[in-house]
């Protein structure tokens, strides 16, 4: 049974804090993604990675960075959290090639920045 | 630009059939996906279309017309547990996936 896990379901942080969101998949997938999901805006891609140590910016990378030191783990970092980063964060993975393959999503982390 | 449109909300009755439409305009096309997302949960994969026509999977079917940039998800014999958001997504031929904002379906008893 395929599995994508995220480190926290709910997280509350203060403005200016550095925040780490962790994602782990056990499917040996090359591709991993970080999205944020906001009402009325759908899923927006923040960053993705197609191999270890490889990363590419998505549509809304500002204020975020990522790290992929191991194939199974993809971390999202908020360097200095701001209230407009309050959102649901979803991690996903997909098999190699990135084309024509469905994505497998983690349960999500609901982050609140106060 | 790249765009996916789907209705915001739909309501249907238990046991009925509902069709959720999706239109897209993307720079390329390497398949269209439908996901189901229950409130507070992760999206789960429902169907994939890359060629024109209808794909059937039990109570769910998905149709694609590439020339029209159009797809629909058909849900038959609706059940209360089908109340969820349905997301349309297109892979334009790169690593990225473009998502619509989702259609929230309410199934009434």
């Amino acid at each position: 049974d395929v599995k994508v896990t995220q480190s926290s379901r709910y997280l509350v942080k203060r403005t200016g804090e550095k925040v780490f969101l962790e994602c782990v998949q056990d499917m040996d997938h090359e591709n991993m993604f970080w999205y944020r999901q906001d009402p009325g805006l759908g899923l927006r891609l923040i960053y993705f990675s197609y191999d270890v140590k490889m990363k590419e910016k998505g549509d809304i990378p500002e204020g975020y960075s990522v790290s992929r030191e191991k194939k199974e783990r993809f971390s999202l970092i908020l360097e200095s959290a701001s209230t407009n980063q309050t959102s649901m964060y979803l991690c996903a993975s997909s098999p190699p090639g990135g084309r024509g393959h469905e994505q497998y999503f983690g349960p999500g982390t609901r982050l609140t920045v106060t | 630009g790249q765009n996916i449109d789907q209705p915001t909300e739909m309501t249907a009755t238990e046991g009925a059939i509902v069709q959720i439409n999706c239109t897209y305009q993307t720079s390329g096309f390497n398949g269209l996906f439908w996901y189901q997302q229950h409130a507070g949960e992760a999206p789960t994969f429902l169907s994939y279309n890359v060629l024109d026509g209808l794909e059937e999977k039990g109570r769910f079917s998905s149709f694609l017309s590439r020339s029209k940039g159009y797809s629909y998800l058909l849900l038959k014999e609706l059940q209360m547990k089908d109340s969820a958001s349905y997301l349309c997504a297109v892979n334009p031929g790169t690593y990225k996936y473009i998502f619509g904002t989702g259609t929230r379906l309410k199934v009434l008893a």
Side-chain angles (χ1 to χ4, degrees):
Chain A
D1 197 22
V2 297
K3 210 165 186 180
V4 180
T5 57
Q6 295 183 226
S7 49
S8 305
R9 289 300 304 269
Y10 300 94
L11 210 52
V12 180
K13 294 292 181 181
R14 293 194 180 276
T15 302
E17 278 193 83
K18 192 168 186 175
V19 182
F20 294 87
L21 303 182
E22 302 282 336
C23 174
V24 178
Q25 51 96 0
D26 65 359
M27 296 164 281
D28 202 35
H29 284 168
E30 269 74 7
N31 303 321
M32 296 187 75
F33 307 80
W34 275 107
Y35 295 91
R36 62 178 284 177
Q37 186 175 31
D38 300 288
L41 296 177
L43 270 74
R44 292 181 291 164
L45 182 64
I46 304 171
Y47 267 98
F48 67 98
S49 169
Y50 52 88
D51 203 350
V52 175
K53 296 193 185 294
M54 306 303 288
K55 60 187 179 185
E56 286 205 22
K57 294 179 181 179
D59 299 315
I60 51 164
E62 297 78 19
Y64 303 94
S65 62
V66 290
S67 171
R68 188 143 181 227
E69 297 296 319
K70 292 185 178 181
K71 190 176 186 180
E72 67 271 17
R73 189 178 298 267
F74 192 34
S75 302
L76 179 70
I77 302 148
L78 286 66
E79 298 292 341
S80 176
S82 64
T83 54
N84 63 12
Q85 292 179 309
T86 291
S87 186
M88 170 67 89
Y89 289 87
L90 289 164
C91 174
S93 71
S94 71
R99 303 174 187 187
H101 293 289
E102 70 268 29
Q103 295 182 300
Y104 296 86
F105 286 85
T109 296
R110 186 164 293 281
L111 172 67
T112 301
V113 182
T114 61
Chain B
Q2 311 207 86
N3 194 54
I4 295 182
D5 286 315
Q6 47 182 132
T8 303
E9 197 168 296
M10 299 182 72
T11 302
T13 305
E14 196 174 17
I17 299 173
V18 71
Q19 178 176 311
I20 302 173
N21 296 324
C22 171
T23 57
Y24 64 90
Q25 290 175 304
T26 56
S27 55
F29 183 82
N30 202 57
L32 186 142
F33 301 81
W34 284 96
Y35 291 85
Q36 180 189 60
Q37 185 178 25
H38 285 101
E41 297 183 12
T44 54
F45 170 74
L46 286 177
S47 69
Y48 168 65
N49 295 72
V50 66
L51 300 176
D52 290 350
L54 190 68
E55 293 282 341
E56 297 188 77
K57 263 189 186 182
R59 293 190 299 114
F60 292 8
S61 303
S62 56
F63 171 83
L64 175 68
S65 168
R66 287 173 297 169
S67 62
K68 295 182 179 177
Y70 168 70
S71 172
Y72 67 73
L73 180 69
L74 194 71
L75 290 76
K76 303 175 188 175
E77 301 168 14
L78 278 174
Q79 302 175 9
M80 299 299 289
K81 66 179 182 179
D82 297 330
S83 291
S85 288
Y86 291 86
L87 311 180
C88 175
V90 170
N91 181 257
T94 65
Y95 291 107
K96 294 184 182 182
Y97 296 73
I98 314 296
F99 281 84
T101 55
T103 299
R104 191 165 55 249
L105 174 66
K106 293 182 186 176
V107 180
L108 305 177

